[in-house]
Amino acid sequence: MENKVRVRFAPSPTGPLHIGGVRTALYNYLFARQNGGTMILRIEDTDSNRFVPGAEDYINEALQWLGIGIDEGVREGGNYGPYKQSERRDIYRRYVKQLLDDGKAYIAFDTPEELDAKRKEIANFQYDAKTRGMMRNSLTLSKEEVDALIAAGEKYVVRILIEPNQEVKVNDLIRGEVTVNSSVVDDKVLYKSADDLPTYHLANIVDDHLMEVTHVIRGEEWLPSAPLHVLLYEALGWKDSMPQFVHLPLLLKPDGKGKLSKRDGDRLGFPVFPLEWHDPVSGDISSGYRERGYLPEAVVNFLALLGWNPGNDQEMFSMDELIKAFSFEHCSKKGAKFDFEKGKWFNHEYLINMDDDKLAQLFKPELAKHGIDASQFTDEYITRAVGMIKSRISFVGDIWDNAKFFFVAPTEYAPKDIKKRWKEDTPETMRRLIEVIKGIDDMTSANAEEIVLGWIKDNELHMGNVMNAFRLTVVGECKGPHMFDIAELIGKDEIIARIERGIENIKPVVE
Ligand code: GLU
C-alpha cells in the first residue's frame, strides 16, 4: 500500500503517564489499526534533567494493561530504531551540522545571566531577527572568535534562524489550516553542547521524518510548537514529506475551568493516572485506575469518548468497535470535560455485562483479602453469588460488601433493621419458620418461596415483618437480592443455623 499510515506515541519519561497522554496513545492506536498502519512508541528522553527512573517501564505497563498495542518500539524493535532518543545522538549531530552548513541555524554563546540581563533590558524579549544582532553568536562574532571560544570549551547552543514576516501554514486535521506570521516564532534552541543532545524540537522532527511518520497526533498543548516545527521541516529540506498534524482537544477539569492537572485528581478524589505510581524521589503514591478496580475496557471506552463522539448516541464500544468507528471529523476542537462519574458508570456497565464466571475469578483475590479461603467454595457457588449482586456494584472491590453473607454468616445485625423488624413475638415466628423450612425437600427458589409465602398467608402473618426478620438473620441487614435465591444458594442447613443464631443473638430494642 502506498503511503502506509505510520503514527507514533512519543512520551517523555519524566513521570507517570498522565491520563491525557493515555488518550493520545489510544487515538494514535485506533487510527493506526483502522488504516492497517503502524503504531510506534518512541521514548523522548533528551531532557536528561527531567528523566525519572521507572517512568519508561510505567508507560509500557500502562499501554499493555489497556490493550494499546505497539508495533515498533524499544521493546518491540523495528527497522527504524533506535526508538529511544538518547541512543540517537549521532543522528541528531548530523542534522545540526547540516543546518549550520546551510545557514539555517547558528551557534550562540549567551550565558543564562546574559540572557536574563537582556530580558530585563528589553520588554518581551525574544531571541529573533530583531535581537540576534545584539547577542553573542556566530552571526555577530567572527569565525575565528567562534572557533576560539569552542576550542576553549565554552558552552554553546545551536539556534534555528527564523526569517521574519513569512507566512507559516499549519494544516491540522481537526482545526483546519491556521496561518501564523513567522515573526512570532523565536530562534529556538535546537541543540546544547553541554550535554551533546538536541532539544525536543529538533529530535522530534528528525525522528518523525526518519521514522516516516505520516500523522503527528498529539495533545493540544503542542499546537503552539507547530509553526516552529513546520519551519524546521523547511529548514531541513523536508517540507514535501511533512506529516499531517492532528492536535487533540485538551482534557479539562470536571467543571470545565482549565486544564485537568495531576493535582485535580488528588484534590477531587479520582485517579489521573492509569496505574498507581510510587514517586521514586518523594515516595508519594498517586492512585491509578487499575488499582482502584477499573477494568481496562471501561477506561478505554471512557477515554475514547473524551474528545471524540460517534455521531450517534452509542456509548458502549469495544476496542474493535472503536477502531471501526473512530474518525478525526468527529473529534472536537473544544476541550473535553473530565467527567469522572461517567468513568464510574462505564465500569459499572462493563461489570454487569461481564460473564458471571469471569467476574467470579476477579472476585477471588478479594475473598482472600477478607480472610476467606476461596477453595472452600465451588466456582459455581462464587459465580452464582456474584451474579446475584452485580447490578449493585461499580467496582470489583464493591462485591465483598454486597456479597459477604454468602461466605460468612452475619455476626452483627443492622440496628435500624432490628428496631423496625424484630419485635417481641419475632423469635416465636422464626421458630415456626424453621419448622416450615425443615419440611421443604426441594430448596430451589420458586419452590421454597411458594411454601413459605403460603405458610405466611395461611397463618395470616405480616408478610413484610416475617420476610424481613428472616432476611435479617441470614444477611445481617434488610437488603440484598431476592431472599429465596439467597436461600437456594446458601442451602437449607445453613439457613436454619442462621435463623437459630438470630433468635439467640438479636434482642429487640426496648424504647
Ligand atoms: N515528547 C513529547 C511529549 O512528551 C511529544 C510531543 C509530540 O507528540 O510531538 O508529549
Side-chain angles (χ1 to χ4, degrees), residues 221-251:
E221 58 274 31
W222 300 99
L223 189 58
S225 301
L228 169 72
H229 292 181
V230 171
L231 290 166
L232 204 39
Y233 276 106
E234 278 176 27
L236 286 157
W238 298 335
K239 197 165 183 219
D240 294 339
S241 60
M242 196 160 68
Q244 173 66 58
F245 288 111
V246 190
H247 289 95
L248 306 174
L250 285 178
L251 290 191

Side-chain angles (χ1 to χ4, degrees), residues 141-413:
L141 304 168
S142 70
K143 173 138 187 9
E144 292 69 36
E145 285 172 302
V146 171
D147 291 345
L149 286 170
I150 294 177
E154 185 125 344
K155 301 270 180 289
Y156 65 91
V157 298
V158 173
R159 289 181 180 271
I160 183 169
L161 189 138
I162 303 278
E163 297 288 357
N165 281 319
Q166 308 284 306
E167 275 202 344
V168 191
K169 286 192 171 39
V170 178
N171 204 326
D172 185 288
L173 271 188
I174 296 178
R175 284 145 222 280
E177 190 177 84
V178 186
T179 308
V180 177
N181 188 302
S182 65
S183 299
V184 303
V185 182
D186 61 334
D187 291 355
K188 277 267 168 350
V189 172
L190 301 179
Y191 167 87
K192 292 185 180 122
S193 72
D195 51 11
D196 184 27
L197 275 172
T199 57
Y200 152 73
H201 300 291
L202 181 70
N204 188 268
I205 270 52
V206 166
D207 288 350
D208 282 348
H209 176 75
L210 296 180
M211 294 180 183
E212 295 180 23
V213 168
T214 57
H215 296 74
V216 167
I217 305 164
R218 60 185 175 188
E220 190 182 330
E221 58 274 31
W222 300 99
L223 189 58
S225 301
L228 169 72
H229 292 181
V230 171
L231 290 166
L232 204 39
Y233 276 106
E234 278 176 27
L236 286 157
W238 298 335
K239 197 165 183 219
D240 294 339
S241 60
M242 196 160 68
Q244 173 66 58
F245 288 111
V246 190
H247 289 95
L248 306 174
L250 285 178
L251 290 191
L252 304 176
K253 294 181 200 298
D255 63 6
K257 293 185 185 140
K259 200 179 149 195
L260 179 73
S261 77
K262 169 174 153 38
R263 280 178 307 279
D264 289 324
D266 304 336
R267 187 168 62 88
L268 301 168
F270 55 77
V272 291
F273 300 114
L275 318 176
E276 193 169 272
W277 168 255
H278 296 243
D279 190 294
V281 179
S282 67
D284 288 352
I285 297 178
S286 308
S287 66
Y289 281 85
R290 183 179 63 184
E291 289 71 14
R292 280 279 185 99
Y294 280 82
L295 299 169
E297 298 86 344
V299 177
V300 162
N301 198 152
F302 167 52
L303 285 181
L305 290 164
L306 287 174
W308 168 80
N309 69 79
N312 55 37
D313 52 17
Q314 183 177 347
E315 292 195 284
M316 302 296 289
F317 287 89
S318 67
M319 191 69 104
D320 284 343
E321 289 169 326
L322 286 172
I323 290 168
K324 286 203 192 82
F326 183 75
S327 76
F328 293 123
E329 291 87 77
H330 279 119
C331 285
S332 71
K333 294 194 201 50
K334 275 203 331 242
K337 279 188 211 160
F338 193 79
D339 181 355
F340 179 64
E341 289 304 323
K342 191 78 193 187
K344 260 189 183 160
W345 177 84
F346 273 112
N347 211 53
H348 168 78
E349 289 296 309
Y350 274 86
L351 285 175
I352 60 176
N353 288 317
M354 186 183 273
D355 287 342
D356 293 349
D357 51 352
K358 201 172 157 209
L359 190 54
Q361 293 309 317
L362 293 181
F363 175 53
K364 276 188 183 174
E366 297 290 314
L367 276 174
K369 269 191 218 160
H370 290 93
I372 306 287
D373 173 8
S375 67
Q376 280 175 264
F377 300 92
T378 62
D379 279 354
E380 197 209 330
Y381 186 94
I382 304 174
T383 301
R384 286 173 62 190
V386 300
M388 272 189 238
I389 58 85
K390 69 178 181 180
S391 66
R392 298 157 200 270
I393 58 162
S394 294
F395 301 101
V396 171
D398 297 341
I399 300 178
W400 171 254
D401 269 348
N402 287 280
K404 57 172 174 264
F405 61 87
F406 284 113
F407 305 95
V408 278
T411 50
E412 282 170 17
Y413 304 89

Side-chain angles (χ1 to χ4, degrees), residues 8-14 24 28 42-45 50 85 200 204-205 208 216-219 221-222 229 247:
R8 87 302 195 268
F9 177 52
S12 302
T14 53
T24 299
N28 271 284
R42 184 171 73 221
I43 300 297
E44 302 212 324
D45 58 347
R50 295 178 59 213
Q85 291 187 328
Y200 152 73
N204 188 268
I205 270 52
D208 282 348
V216 167
I217 305 164
R218 60 185 175 188
E221 58 274 31
W222 300 99
H229 292 181
H247 289 95

Side-chain angles (χ1 to χ4, degrees), residues 103-122:
K104 305 281 186 190
Y106 57 93
I107 290 173
F109 295 99
D110 318 272
T111 62
E113 294 75 28
E114 284 165 344
L115 288 167
D116 267 351
K118 268 286 176 286
R119 280 192 202 104
K120 283 197 190 111
E121 196 183 309
I122 303 172

